[in-house]
Each structure stands twice: as C-alpha cells, then as structure tokens.
C-alpha cells in the first residue's frame, strides 16, 4: 500500500470501489445464497453523496457510511483480500468512530448477515454489541451498535 490516508472517494475511484467491494463480498454469495447487498449498491451515487471513504493507492479498503440524527450507520466495510491481516479493516473502523465523534453522533450502528460468522467474531472486539437479529427480505441480519460515550 503506497498511501494509507483515508480520504473521501472521488468519481474516478468508483471502479476500484466496485472491484474491492465485489472481491470482499463474493466469497459469501454461495454461503448465504444471495448476493450481498453491498455488491448491488449504486457506488457512483454513494461516492457522489460523500458516503464512501477509501484507503490506499490503489484502493485497498473502503467504508460506506451514512449520518443519521442519532447515529452513524456503517453500511459497508470492504478490504481487498490481498490486504487482509495488514490492519486496513481496523483503521477503517477507527476512522468510522472518529467520523461519528466529529459529527457529534453518540453511536455507530451496522448489521451483518447471520451467516457471515467471521464478522460476528470481529465486531465485538471493537466494542460493538448485538442489538437484535432480524430478517429483512432474503437477508438474516444481526444488528450491532457501538456507543461512543
């Protein structure tokens, strides 16, 4: 990774945002039986709206976030498989916390598919607690929150 600054994504980053997202989520397609929602996102719309932040040149990781009145929603986090184990995901999660604090928001919320077992081990290590499990259409999701107080 030649540049480790986390920055807002630009329209020119959209192909890399799509590629990294697809590579990060593709292994789950067979396991969960549907295409994970981040793979079907309108990446250009998210970038244009200022919801996507990337790290690396070329892009090795990204988050898609959305500010609400009472929380910051972490819609997606994706790390290129070649960058696994290098702390990219940890740095992105720390960035999300810092962003929420900068916006004056008291917590971060996210969800993950119940069949993405790896995530269920990772998020609690970073201070997230399970709020509920809910089925949304074809997705069986575990909802988490992290209070920042």
């Amino acid at each position: 990774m030649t540049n480790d600054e986390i920055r807002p994504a630009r329209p020119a980053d959209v192909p890399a945002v799509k590629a990294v997202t697809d590579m990060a989520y593709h292994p789950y397609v067979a396991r969960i039986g549907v295409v994970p929602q981040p793979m079907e996102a309108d990446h250009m719309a998210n970038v244009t709206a200022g919801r996507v932040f990337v790290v690396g040149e070329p892009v090795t990781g990204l988050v898609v976030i959305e500010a609400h009145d009472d929380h910051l929603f972490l819609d997606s986090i994706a790390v290129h498989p070649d960058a696994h184990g290098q702390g990219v995901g940890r740095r992105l999660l720390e960035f999300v916390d810092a962003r929420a604090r900068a916006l004056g928001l008291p917590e971060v919320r996210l969800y993950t598919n119940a069949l993405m077992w790896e995530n269920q081990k990772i998020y609690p290590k970073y201070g997230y607690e399970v709020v509920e499990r809910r089925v949304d259409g074809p997705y069986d999701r575990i909802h988490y929150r992290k209070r920042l107080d």
Side-chain angles (χ1 to χ4, degrees), residues 3-117:
N3 182 350
D4 62 358
E5 175 189 357
I6 298 173
R7 62 170 176 80
R10 301 180 289 261
D13 295 317
V14 169
V17 167
K18 178 172 177 28
V20 171
T21 299
D22 287 352
M23 284 185 267
Y25 284 91
H26 186 266
Y28 296 113
V29 173
R31 186 187 305 174
I32 66 175
V34 294
V35 174
Q37 206 166 20
M39 292 177 70
E40 297 183 328
D42 184 337
H43 301 294
M44 182 58 84
N46 284 335
V47 167
T48 302
R51 292 190 291 259
V52 182
F53 293 82
V54 298
V55 64
E57 294 291 341
V59 173
T60 56
L62 64 105
V63 289
V64 181
I65 56 177
E66 185 174 340
H68 294 267
D69 290 339
D70 60 348
H71 70 280
L72 186 65
F73 178 63
L74 173 53
D75 187 38
S76 176
I77 181 168
V79 176
H80 191 289
D82 291 346
H84 286 179
Q86 297 177 19
V88 176
R90 175 189 49 77
R91 290 190 53 249
L92 288 166
L93 287 173
E94 290 170 354
F95 169 83
V96 170
D97 290 356
R99 184 77 173 176
R101 285 185 177 101
L103 294 170
L105 299 171
E107 68 182 42
V108 177
R109 297 180 189 170
L110 62 84
Y111 53 71
T112 190
N113 191 286
L115 294 177
M116 293 181 179
W117 311 298

